[in-house]
Amino acid sequence: DTTVKQNPRYKLARVGKPVNLICSQTMNHDTMYWYQKKPNQAPKLLLFYYDKILNREADTFEKFQSSRPNNSFCSLYIGSAGLEYSAMYLCASSLRLGGRRDTQYFGPGTRLLVL
Amino acid sequence: GDSVTQTEGQVTVSESKSLIINCTYSTTSIAYPNLFWYVRYPGEGLQLLLKVITAGQKGSSRGFEATYNKETTSFHLQKASVQESDSAVYYCALGENTGGADRLTFGKGTQLIIQP
């Protein structure tokens, strides 16, 4: 099973409120990623977990937090949602094979609308 | 930084005709980037279509081909005869393969519409 699951698929949030998005995979992948996709823009890497180590991209460092309680689950947390957070959030996972990194498998995405 | 530029917006092709979606890349940090084409079919997640990790090599999948050209920094996607089932959004991407993670930089995507 090469499925990456994301919950919820659609999320409506109020400005200033927290948002928590969930991603899961059962492929025993060591790395999980979060991307943000806005209309007419390229998917943008926000952060990734390599095993238990969180790496956040420099330009979104303060905007997003994440946790990975076990190998299968990874969350994306927004402490106080703003209008600019409205986007599609894509989760992906991958595995290191023989010193190189294998393909990233993507989930269907969570569409977040902040009002 | 890294960037990927691909054919923008929407491309409409008649069924059984040929297709080319242009992709060029720029990187200041990766000596030998890996190059990818991802595809998103309606209602599904992004999935890998093909990848090439060595300059000069060609990748192919489902009738699509792309050649890694380091001289022109290009990775154009081609298909000789498209089908209606090829309607989707196509993303070109580059990445650096490290042990820890594959940081992917994507283009904005090209929506392919196939006319019957």
Side-chain angles (χ1 to χ4, degrees), chain A residues 20-35:
Chain A
N20 198 44
L21 308 180
I22 304 294
C23 177
S24 65
Q25 51 87 17
T26 56
M27 297 175 278
N28 204 31
H29 283 178
D30 55 5
T31 301
M32 296 184 75
Y33 310 76
W34 282 99
Y35 293 82

Side-chain angles (χ1 to χ4, degrees), chain B residues 1-2 5 8 48 55 75 77-79 100 106:
Chain B
D2 303 333
T5 303
E8 283 209 7
L48 181 68
F75 191 55
L77 183 67
Q78 302 183 72
K79 189 173 187 183
F106 284 91

Side-chain angles (χ1 to χ4, degrees), chain A residues 31 33 35 37 40 42-43 48 50 57 90 100-101 103-104 106-108, chain B residues 38 40 45-46 48 53 91 97-104 106-108:
Chain A
T31 301
Y33 310 76
Y35 293 82
K37 171 75 173 75
N40 300 316
F48 62 89
Y50 173 45
E57 295 298 285
L90 305 175
R100 299 187 67 83
R101 191 136 290 273
T103 303
Q104 286 187 33
F106 282 82
Chain B
Y38 277 83
R40 185 175 179 122
L46 273 173
L48 181 68
I53 63 173
Y91 293 90
N97 194 306
T98 68
D102 219 352
R103 278 189 169 86
L104 294 181
F106 284 91
K108 291 184 178 181

